[in-house]
Amino acid sequence: MERTYIMVKPDGVERRLTGEILRRFENRGLRLVGLKLLVPARETAEAHYAVHREKPFYNDLVEFVTSGPVVAMVWEGKDAIKIARQMIGATKPLDAAPGTIRGDYTADVMSNLIHGSDAPETAEAEIALWFRPGELLT
Ligand code: DAT
Ligand code: MG
């Protein structure tokens, strides 16, 4: 069993896509073990995207993800990290296949609706960053 941090970004909440995204994860058979709605603090967003600190889009990225409410979630299942990344689709709009969340609902590299952890180590760090242990099912 594996856990992954998934977040509907402010554009996804604004566009009323939270239900559609939840439905896709439920349909796929992953188990929801944590869920909350919040406007991210700047320091949380900066820590979340620390790996991109030197990128030219970093400041815009932090601004964007703190611009409104997000839906923070933890989903559990066998190979949950890779399965969620498949469902989310590629970062580059041209590479985001139809049938994926990004491929079906966005063509913008920044306003791309959803985040998903990319590896076991980042999943663990991101879950610990966004959730207290008591907020997650055991
Ligand atoms: P992903 O969210 O698919 O894991 P990432 O970790 O490479 O992608 O980048 C984090 C976020 O940064 C991404 O969801 C959107 C934004 N981003 C990435 N590359 C970008 C670019 N070239 N221009 C603007 N924003 C970008
Ligand atoms: Mg990433």
Side-chain angles (χ1 to χ4, degrees):
M1 279 297 159
E2 198 170 68
R3 289 183 170 195
T4 187
Y5 176 68
I6 302 295
M7 175 168 66
V8 182
K9 296 181 186 180
D11 58 327
V13 175
E14 171 75 23
R15 290 178 56 194
R16 312 297 198 260
L17 288 169
T18 301
E20 167 67 17
I21 288 168
L22 278 164
R23 187 182 65 78
R24 287 181 179 223
F25 279 85
E26 288 186 326
N27 283 355
R28 190 65 196 263
L30 296 177
R31 174 184 179 235
L32 183 62
V33 296
L35 174 71
K36 61 184 173 182
L37 179 74
L38 73 156
V39 179
R42 171 166 290 271
E43 61 182 10
T44 310
E46 286 176 349
H48 178 79
Y49 282 124
V51 66
H52 296 301
R53 216 171 22 231
E54 310 302 331
K55 306 270 174 64
F57 56 81
Y58 176 72
N59 283 326
D60 289 344
L61 183 57
V62 171
E63 280 298 319
F64 168 61
V65 86
T66 56
S67 67
V70 301
V71 177
M73 302 178 271
V74 178
W75 290 87
E76 181 185 85
K78 186 172 186 312
D79 297 321
I81 296 168
K82 282 185 175 160
I83 286 175
R85 293 285 293 191
Q86 275 182 354
M87 293 168 63
I88 288 167
T91 315
K92 288 184 187 164
L94 265 176
D95 295 338
T100 65
I101 293 164
R102 288 172 177 167
D104 285 349
Y105 291 105
T106 183
D108 190 281
V109 69
M110 173 78 68
S111 299
N112 62 10
L113 301 172
I114 180 167
H115 168 85
S117 308
D118 62 7
E121 308 74 49
T122 47
E124 194 182 357
E126 289 168 4
I127 291 167
L129 176 66
W130 292 92
F131 285 91
R132 298 171 200 282
E135 294 176 324
L136 300 173
L137 299 184
T138 52

